[in-house]
């Protein structure tokens, strides 16, 4: 079946295009996707038998093999016909005149032309292919063109529309019919609506352009509202009119514009609708009339395009460097011209990055001044064209926090716009000066942030909210300010439970922790060097990590941080990634206010792991492991610039210095890397993170020999399957998963190399002994299992009993033979839990002399039980009597023992 359809709430362009399409596809069935506009319904009512339309409910949607769409490309505007889109082998043909929109369908065949109406597109096709049309068909096509071009006065009208109308007149189009359904005088009711709409109108001057916003509330839906809006616009000679109408339970927006600076289609799209630059509409969801008006004003400020400004306010010529220039040389240029950022431009004129004064200074401090700027430049940046508007400039500088914008024309950088340039433009108009551009001490207390109290109530337990309020109140009473920070806030925004509570105090964190602990009888542990403390609550042992707002700097790459006191913003800036650099006010007057200095919410929304500054991995290489752990745990992706900096850090061999004997700082780095690896390998699903580590060639930094000894993919998969199997079987039994995967990662290392691995990473002695012991056991067992095709249960027990659960899972991962896997599985699930009924006390009662004999007897009984030679206590007694007769072991030198007959 082939179906021709158009958009919901069909107009004359939709109708005419469907009729025209049937001339191209005579075998296809015409069917409306939903309702029609009133004037179209009136027309069809007067000509009920002129055209053959099938009701949608009579069509088997699953049998549709070709869908011919006219005057739309949006799946959301197809009603029930959208269900056909999943039909196997469906062919889609599209005829449209609308501009490209996000989410447009792609057709197997498309005829899309930038004309005033889709009827004009078909009229051109008829002329090109010499397809004749009747007078009735020409009239319907003419009505469509008249309606969609606003009788040829809309800005979207093209010369082709006028030419098409001329041809249709030649084919017999009836202008009397056109005027009857397209243009008519207002009724008394419509005049009343027009008067009400005009009384509500307010004129807003946005970017120097007058835009009229009007609104009306009606008890029920009326068809003619768009006609009333059009008449209002023509009567008052308005350039732009935005009309909001609440009709019954629904809210509608009608947008009209006669000037290129205001694109009505963009405004409607922002509300989930669509249309042309001159005429568009939307159904507004989940808003009241007042809320919709406020949102409309905000959207207008974002989308209204005044006279182009980028080319006027940019600075030129551009001072730049090539990628091969060293950081020292770039820094000299920055100092010479007293600028803050340098574009990095290739010889062919292509811009590839930005190097800032801050990054250059830090790199030189770390001894990286001779590195080319291409290694540490920022490669993620946006550019603008000379015709970019003030709104676009503001969005990049304020919302995206890009303080330096290259202006590009034909792939060449012709100028730059800085934060200072924008300030100079706006400073004479302080009323419209964006608050984000004000100095910190001039900032309003809450306008720039948002309160998430509701989110807290929805996602946090009541006792946690009370605890947070108490923390804020005690800090306030002692002259401090408290914030919840980091992962707790991140996961709250993601609606996940995270009870790892980190508190930052602007003031003295240790003093605060002691005072809080004293009030509640809690234990407090302090770390004076880092000005941190841990509060351990009485009763449940709940831990609260407390830190003093601090700034960290690193004396050299991969060093431990040196700490100085700082403000909250600097404290957050020192953190690893943007998603962890959020803070939540706990002070009584601002409780629940979110602090986002670094556009962190956007990265959470886009699911990106992004570092806060370019030298982050240089200062602390362990952040590379943390980035991979967060990426895989949260199903995020590394930002492209962050990924490039990881590769640069690997290339620089920043890890190369740690693990050398006598170097206390490098040993600490080794232990911190070991800690990060433990966390990665302890994740519920560590396999993707391990693959990512191998992808970046990071295991070689754990131990150089790993570079040539990575485990195979199949071995990693086997380890994962073994761990998941064990976890499902024994949910209550704890085991150290990270040990299993560490053994797998190092499986191709020798015993001596594993010792070196442990020394390099400063693995604690107790863990070192476990790793070495389990590896030795498994290495011997692998040789033994190769020699024995089948093992008795008792032999399996004897061989596997010395292994810890971690060693058993490592062994299960390493063996390929199914018989051996079954033996290990049998031991884990059954054999290791088997015990015998008799014990030493029983043997003593039976008269057996104490000593090594007891061990021999009990071991022999266990072997018999494992091999199913005995199954009950009585069986064991019979077995004992047969294999260890009491007369053989009488001790004539001892006093007689009163015996209990076995």
């Amino acid at each position: 079946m082939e179906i021709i359809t158009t958009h919901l709430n069909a107009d004359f362009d939709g109708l005419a295009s469907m009729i025209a399409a049937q001339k191209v596809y005579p075998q296809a069935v015409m069917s409306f996707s939903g309702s029609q506009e009133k004037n179209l319904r009136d027309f069809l009512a007067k000509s009920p038998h002129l055209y053959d339309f099938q009701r949608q409910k009579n069509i088997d949607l699953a049998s549709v093999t070709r869908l011919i769409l006219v005057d739309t490309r949006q799946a959301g505007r197809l009603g029930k016909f959208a269900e056909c889109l999943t039909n196997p082998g469906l062919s889609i043909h599209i005829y449209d005149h609308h501009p490209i929109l996000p989410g447009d369908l792609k057709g197997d065949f498309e005829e899309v032309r930038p004309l005033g109406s889709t009827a004009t597109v078909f009229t051109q096709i008829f002329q090109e292919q010499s397809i004749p049309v009747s007078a009735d068909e020409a009239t319907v096509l003419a009505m469509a063109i008249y309606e969609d071009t606003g009788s040829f006065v809309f800005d979207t009208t093209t010369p082709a529309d006028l030419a098409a109308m001329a041809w249709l007149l030649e084919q017999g189009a009836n202008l009397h019919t056109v005027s009857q359904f397209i243009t008519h005088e207002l009724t008394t009711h419509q005049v009343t609506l027009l008067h009400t709409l005009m009384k509500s109108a307010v004129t807003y001057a946005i970017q120097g352009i007058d835009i009229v916003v009007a609104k009306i509330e009606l008890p029920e839906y009326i068809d003619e509202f768009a006609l009333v809006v059009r008449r209002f616009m023509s009567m008052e000679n308005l350039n732009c009119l935005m009309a909001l109408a609440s009709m019954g339970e629904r809210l509608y927006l009608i947008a009209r514009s006669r000037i290129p600076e205001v694109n009505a289609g963009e405004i409607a799209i922002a509300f989930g609708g669509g249309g042309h630059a001159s005429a568009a509409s939307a159904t507004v969801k989940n808003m009241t009339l007042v809320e919709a008006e406020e949102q409309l004003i905000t959207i207008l400020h974002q989308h209204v395009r005044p006279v182009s400004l980028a080319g006027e306010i940019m600075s030129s010529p551009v001072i730049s460097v090539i990628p091969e220039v060293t950081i020292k040389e770039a820094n000299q240029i920055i100092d010479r011209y007293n600028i803050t950022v340098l574009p990095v431009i290739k010889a062919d004129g292509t811009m590839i990055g930005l190097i800032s004064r801050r990054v250059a200074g830090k790199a030189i401090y770390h001894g990286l001044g001779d590195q080319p700027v291409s290694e540490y430049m920022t490669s993620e940046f946006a550019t603008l064209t000379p015709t970019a508007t003030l709104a676009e400039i503001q969005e990049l500088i304020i919302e995206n926090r890009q303080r330096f914008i290259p202006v590009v024309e034909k792939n060449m950088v012709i100028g730059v716009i800085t934060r200072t340039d924008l300030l100079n433009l706006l400073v004479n108009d302080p009323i419209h000066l964006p608050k984000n551009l004000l100095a910190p001490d001039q900032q309003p207390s809450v306008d720039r942030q948002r309160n998430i109290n509701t989110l807290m109530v929805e996602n946090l337990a009541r006792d946690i909210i009370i605890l947070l309020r108490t923390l804020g109140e005690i800090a306030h009473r002692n002259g401090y300010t408290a914030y919840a920070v980091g992962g707790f806030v991140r996961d709250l925004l993601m609606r996940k439970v995270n009870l790892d509570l980190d508190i930052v105090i602007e003031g003295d964190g240790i003093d605060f922790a002691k005072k809080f602990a004293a009030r509640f009888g809690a234990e407090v542990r302090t770390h004076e060097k880092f000005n941190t403390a841990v509060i351990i609550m009485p009763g449940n042992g709940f831990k609260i990590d407390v830190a003093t707002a601090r700034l960290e700097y690193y004396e050299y790459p991969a060093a431990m941080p040196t700490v100085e006191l700082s403000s909250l913003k600097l404290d957050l800036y020192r953190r690893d990634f943007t998603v962890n650099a959020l803070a939540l006010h706990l002070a009584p007057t601002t409780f629940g206010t979110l602090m986002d200095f670094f556009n962190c919410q956007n990265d959470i929304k886009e699911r990106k792991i992004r570092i806060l500054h370019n030298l982050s991995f240089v200062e602390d290489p362990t952040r590379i492991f943390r980035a991979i752990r967060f990426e895989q745990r949260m199903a995020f992706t590394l930002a492209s610039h962050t990924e490039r900096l990881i590769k640069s850090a690997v290339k620089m061999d920043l890890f190369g210095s740690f693990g050398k004997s006598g170097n206390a700082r490098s040993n600490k780095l080794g232990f911190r890397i070991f800690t990060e690896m433990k966390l990665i390998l302890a994740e519920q699903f560590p396999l993707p993170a391990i693959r990512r580590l191998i992808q970046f060639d990071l295991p070689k930094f754990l131990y150089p020999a790993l570079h040539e000894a990575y485990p195979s993919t199949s071995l990693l998969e086997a380890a994962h399957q073994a761990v998941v199997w064990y976890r499902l079987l024994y949910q209550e039994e704890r085991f150290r998963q990270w040990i299993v995967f560490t053994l797998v990662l190092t499986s191709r290392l020798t015993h001596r190399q594993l010792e070196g691995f442990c020394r390099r990473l400063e693995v604690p002695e107790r863990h070192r002994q476990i790793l070495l012991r389990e590896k030795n056991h498994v290495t011997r067992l692998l040789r033994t299992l190769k020699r024995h095709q089948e093992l008795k249960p008792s032999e399996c027990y004897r061989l596997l009993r010395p292994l810890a659960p971690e060693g058993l899972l490592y062994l299960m991962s390493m063996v390929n033979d199914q018989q051996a896997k079954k033996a290990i599985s049998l031991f884990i699930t059954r054999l290791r839990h088997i015990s015998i009924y008799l014990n030493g006390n029983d043997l003593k009662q039976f008269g057996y002399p104490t000593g090594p004999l007891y061990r021999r007897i009990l071991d022999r009984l266990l072997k018999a039980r494992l091999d199913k030679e005995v199954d009950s206590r009585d069986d064991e007694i019979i077995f004992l009597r047969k294999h260890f007769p009491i007369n053989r072991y009488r001790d004539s030198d001892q006093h007689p023992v009163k015996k209990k007959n076995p």
Side-chain angles (χ1 to χ4, degrees):
M1 176 177 281
E2 297 184 7
I3 294 294
I4 301 171
T5 191
T6 187
H7 53 80
L8 296 169
N9 203 28
D11 54 9
F12 272 105
D13 201 23
L15 169 70
S17 299
M18 289 171 69
I19 294 168
Q22 196 176 44
K23 296 181 73 63
V24 180
Y25 303 88
Q27 76 283 4
V29 173
M30 294 188 295
S31 179
F32 287 109
S33 61
S35 61
Q36 304 92 43
E37 289 187 350
K38 184 177 184 301
N39 58 345
L40 180 55
R41 293 201 306 272
D42 292 343
F43 172 78
L44 292 173
K46 290 191 176 184
S47 312
H49 305 297
L50 190 57
Y51 303 105
D52 184 19
F53 290 93
Q54 290 288 330
R55 288 182 177 272
Q56 187 188 83
K57 65 180 181 180
N58 296 330
I59 295 174
D60 179 10
L61 299 181
S63 67
V64 175
T65 56
R66 177 182 288 171
L67 193 61
I68 300 132
L69 304 179
V70 297
D71 203 34
T72 185
R73 282 177 280 173
Q74 293 275 309
R77 303 189 71 193
L78 298 180
K80 293 282 285 183
F81 280 121
E83 296 177 14
C84 300
L85 299 176
T86 58
N87 287 2
L90 178 73
S91 175
I92 301 175
H93 290 202
I94 295 174
Y95 295 82
D96 195 15
H97 74 115
H98 292 95
I100 296 173
L101 295 175
D104 276 351
L105 293 170
K106 302 298 181 186
D108 300 292
F109 172 82
E110 293 187 359
E111 191 67 69
V112 180
R113 305 182 186 183
L115 303 173
S117 73
T118 307
T120 303
V121 175
F122 276 106
T123 302
Q124 287 186 336
I125 292 172
F126 294 160
Q127 290 176 275
E128 293 161 2
Q129 299 182 15
S130 300
I131 298 174
V133 297
S134 67
D136 287 336
E137 291 167 343
T139 301
V140 174
L141 288 166
M143 285 193 286
I145 295 173
Y146 262 95
E147 183 180 57
D148 254 32
T149 62
S151 299
F152 305 106
V153 298
F154 287 169
D155 288 339
T156 53
T157 304
T158 68
D161 298 302
L162 294 163
M165 189 63 218
W167 185 80
L168 292 171
L169 284 172
E170 292 174 354
Q171 310 309 307
N174 188 328
L175 289 181
H176 174 72
T177 304
V178 172
S179 64
Q180 182 183 356
F181 290 99
I182 300 302
T183 59
H184 53 75
E185 295 301 317
L186 297 182
T187 65
T188 304
H189 179 57
Q190 290 167 348
V191 170
T192 303
L193 293 178
L194 176 61
H195 179 67
T196 304
L197 198 63
M198 293 174 69
K199 283 181 64 178
S200 73
V202 177
T203 301
Y204 293 87
I206 299 175
Q207 308 290 13
I209 296 169
D210 288 342
I211 299 175
V212 175
V213 175
K215 56 184 183 291
I216 192 170
E217 288 191 69
L218 301 169
E220 58 186 7
Y221 178 79
I222 59 167
D223 283 300
E224 58 265 27
F225 183 63
L227 174 63
V228 173
V229 171
R230 184 188 303 174
R231 186 59 59 90
F232 180 11
M233 195 167 181
S234 61
M235 284 178 60
E236 298 296 321
N237 195 25
L238 303 177
N239 282 328
C240 299
L241 174 60
M242 304 289 153
L244 290 163
S246 175
M247 303 184 196
E249 295 182 355
R250 294 198 174 185
L251 183 60
Y252 300 91
L253 167 69
I254 301 293
R256 297 288 186 264
S257 173
R258 292 174 174 168
I259 55 177
E261 288 81 8
V262 182
N263 187 317
E266 288 184 354
I267 307 303
I269 288 170
F271 282 98
H276 308 280
S278 57
S281 63
T283 300
V284 183
K285 298 178 180 178
N286 302 320
M287 290 188 195
T288 64
L289 188 59
V290 174
E291 290 171 335
E293 183 180 14
E294 291 180 358
Q295 181 72 3
L296 175 61
I297 302 306
T298 301
I299 290 169
L300 287 169
H301 276 284
Q302 293 171 349
H303 289 280
V304 172
R305 293 191 290 269
V307 178
S308 302
L309 284 171
E312 298 175 10
I313 70 172
M314 70 182 188
S315 302
S316 63
V318 180
I319 302 168
S320 63
V321 292
I322 59 175
E324 295 76 21
V325 163
T326 67
I327 293 175
K328 278 184 181 177
E329 292 169 333
N331 196 55
Q332 290 170 357
I333 295 172
I334 288 172
D335 288 339
R336 183 183 310 146
Y337 294 102
N338 193 28
I339 55 180
T340 56
V341 179
L342 269 175
V344 181
I345 300 176
K346 293 168 68 174
D348 63 2
T350 306
M351 182 174 168
I352 60 172
L354 301 169
I355 186 79
S356 68
R357 179 189 294 274
R358 174 184 285 180
V359 170
K362 277 196 169 188
I364 292 169
Y365 179 77
H366 287 300
L368 304 174
D370 294 327
Q371 293 286 323
V373 291
S374 57
E375 289 295 326
Y376 291 100
M377 67 184 182
T378 295
S379 57
E380 292 178 347
F381 58 89
T383 62
L384 292 175
T385 64
T387 58
T389 64
L390 179 61
E392 291 170 310
I393 297 169
Q394 287 179 340
E395 181 178 1
L396 282 183
I397 290 181
I398 300 167
E399 301 302 327
N400 294 352
R401 302 182 185 277
Q402 183 175 323
R403 301 188 179 192
F404 183 96
I405 305 173
V407 180
V408 177
E409 187 173 43
K410 296 180 180 178
N411 294 325
M412 301 292 290
V413 181
I414 61 170
V416 296
I417 299 173
T418 67
R419 181 184 173 105
T420 303
D421 294 327
L422 182 59
L423 275 170
N424 289 337
L425 179 70
L426 299 174
V427 74
N428 292 324
D429 188 13
I431 294 176
H432 297 99
L433 187 66
K435 295 180 174 64
N436 305 59
L437 293 176
L438 298 174
D441 59 343
Q442 296 173 309
Q443 289 280 8
S445 59
V446 296
D447 286 0
R448 191 165 52 87
Q449 301 93 34
R450 65 187 181 103
N451 194 289
I452 58 171
N453 262 319
T454 302
L455 187 66
M456 295 170 70
V457 171
E458 290 174 354
N459 294 277
L460 297 178
R462 183 172 179 272
D463 57 343
I464 294 296
I465 296 176
I466 293 172
L467 175 62
L468 292 172
R469 284 194 175 276
T470 306
L471 287 162
E473 289 165 2
I474 291 177
H476 180 71
R477 282 202 296 269
N478 287 280
Y480 305 139
T481 305
Y483 304 88
V485 299
F488 174 83
V489 185
R490 175 200 69 218
D491 288 350
L492 176 60
L493 290 179
M494 296 174 68
R495 298 179 181 273
K496 295 181 178 179
V497 177
N498 182 344
L499 297 182
D500 292 334
L501 189 54
D502 291 314
I503 303 298
V504 165
I505 300 294
E506 282 188 326
D508 189 333
I510 291 179
D511 179 63
F512 163 79
K514 289 178 178 177
K515 288 176 177 175
F516 183 90
R519 174 172 172 181
F520 291 96
E523 179 186 351
V524 61
R525 300 171 186 170
T526 63
H527 196 311
E528 300 288 342
K529 180 179 179 182
F530 291 102
N531 291 305
T532 61
V534 178
I535 300 171
I536 304 172
M537 298 297 288
N540 58 10
F542 185 79
K543 293 182 180 179
I544 306 168
D545 291 308
V546 178
T548 304
R550 65 189 196 265
L551 169 68
E552 294 177 351
Y553 65 89
Y554 295 74
E555 295 179 3
Y556 54 85
M560 288 290 286
T562 302
V563 178
E564 293 181 347
L565 297 182
S566 76
S567 68
L568 173 71
K569 184 174 181 179
L570 290 176
D571 179 271
L572 294 175
Y573 185 68
R574 73 175 177 81
R575 293 176 182 270
D576 45 17
F577 311 110
T578 55
V579 294
N580 294 329
L582 289 159
L584 187 65
H585 256 295
L586 302 183
T589 55
T590 53
F591 183 81
T593 300
L594 185 69
M595 306 289 289
D596 181 1
F597 296 105
F598 310 109
N599 208 20
C600 312
Q601 296 171 85
N602 192 55
D603 284 337
I604 291 175
K605 180 181 178 182
E606 295 182 357
R607 307 185 76 80
K608 294 287 185 184
I609 300 296
R610 191 188 311 276
I611 55 169
L612 283 155
H613 58 86
N614 288 4
L615 295 174
S616 183
F617 296 138
V618 173
E619 295 178 340
D620 184 1
T622 63
R623 287 173 175 164
I624 293 175
F625 294 89
R626 212 171 308 145
I628 291 171
R629 175 161 59 91
F630 283 138
E631 178 193 40
Q632 299 305 320
R633 177 202 284 178
M634 299 191 295
F636 280 32
T637 56
L638 295 173
S640 57
H641 182 59
T642 300
E643 185 168 342
R644 189 179 70 82
L645 289 175
I646 290 178
K647 293 176 180 176
S648 179
V650 171
K651 181 180 175 183
M652 283 182 59
D653 194 13
L654 287 177
F655 303 90
S657 63
F658 83 85
K660 296 177 181 177
S661 58
N663 189 334
R665 283 187 179 271
S666 70
N667 289 347
K668 288 180 179 177
L669 175 60
F671 179 71
R672 287 163 57 217
I673 291 175
F674 165 71
T675 302
E676 288 296 334
M677 279 301 300
K678 270 181 63 178
L679 293 171
I680 287 174
L681 300 180
E683 290 285 334
Q684 186 173 7
F685 299 106
L687 212 55
I690 295 172
R691 292 196 189 103
R692 199 76 156 124
L693 291 171
I694 294 174
Q695 180 185 339
F696 285 115
D697 204 15
L698 286 167
K700 72 179 182 183
F701 296 114
L702 305 178
Y703 191 71
L706 279 175
H707 180 59
E708 302 295 334
Y710 289 156
S712 65
T713 301
S714 59
L715 178 56
L716 290 170
E717 289 283 358
H720 175 67
Q721 290 172 9
V723 165
V724 171
W725 170 79
Y726 190 86
R727 192 187 293 130
L728 288 172
L729 276 179
Y730 303 103
Q731 295 183 15
E732 303 301 321
E733 188 172 321
R734 298 175 64 86
F735 71 101
R736 290 160 293 191
Q737 176 183 296
W738 70 267
I739 290 180
V740 179
F741 282 103
T742 300
L743 288 167
V744 170
L745 272 176
T746 59
S747 59
R748 295 175 62 188
L749 299 185
T750 65
H751 179 88
R752 180 171 295 181
Q753 286 174 326
L754 182 57
E755 285 183 320
F757 171 89
C758 292
R759 282 196 302 272
R760 181 175 170 84
L761 295 182
E762 290 292 306
V763 177
E765 183 62 27
R766 67 184 186 281
H767 294 147
R768 189 179 311 190
Q769 292 301 323
I770 294 170
L771 289 169
L772 293 170
R773 182 186 71 228
E774 298 302 310
K775 182 177 180 65
N776 284 342
H777 280 324
V778 170
T779 302
R780 287 197 299 269
L781 280 170
L782 288 171
R783 290 195 293 265
T784 303
L785 291 171
K786 280 184 180 180
R787 294 195 301 267
H788 294 78
Q789 291 299 316
E790 289 191 26
L791 294 172
K792 287 184 177 181
S794 58
E795 293 172 327
C796 179
Y797 184 90
R798 176 179 57 82
L799 291 171
L800 301 182
R801 186 181 179 188
L803 288 175
E806 296 83 2
L808 288 168
L809 295 176
Y810 171 45
L811 177 62
M812 183 174 275
S813 310
M814 294 292 290
V815 297
N816 296 317
D817 180 68
Q818 288 302 313
Q819 200 67 29
K821 282 186 180 291
K822 286 181 180 178
I824 300 166
S825 175
L826 178 67
F827 174 79
I828 291 175
T829 58
R830 191 173 72 85
L831 299 183
R832 64 178 178 146
H833 304 294
I834 289 178
S835 61
I836 56 176
Y837 293 99
L838 299 182
N839 55 41
N841 289 330
D842 293 318
L843 297 181
K844 189 173 182 180
Q845 288 293 324
F846 294 155
Y848 291 94
T850 57
L853 175 63
Y854 279 26
R855 182 75 271 152
R856 188 155 55 93
I857 293 174
L858 296 176
D859 285 347
R860 185 66 184 85
L861 281 171
L862 179 59
K863 181 177 182 298
R865 180 79 192 280
L866 290 166
D867 293 335
K868 297 186 178 181
E869 297 177 48
V870 298
D871 191 45
S872 65
R873 179 183 173 87
D874 290 342
D875 290 344
E876 290 180 8
I877 293 173
I878 293 170
F879 185 91
L880 179 65
R881 183 186 302 164
K882 179 179 178 181
H883 294 279
F884 299 93
I886 188 64
N887 293 334
R888 188 190 303 172
Y889 303 103
R890 290 185 185 279
D891 186 356
S892 58
D893 296 329
Q894 300 292 327
H895 294 290
V897 178
K898 188 175 181 180
K899 304 174 184 64
K900 180 179 177 183
N901 191 346

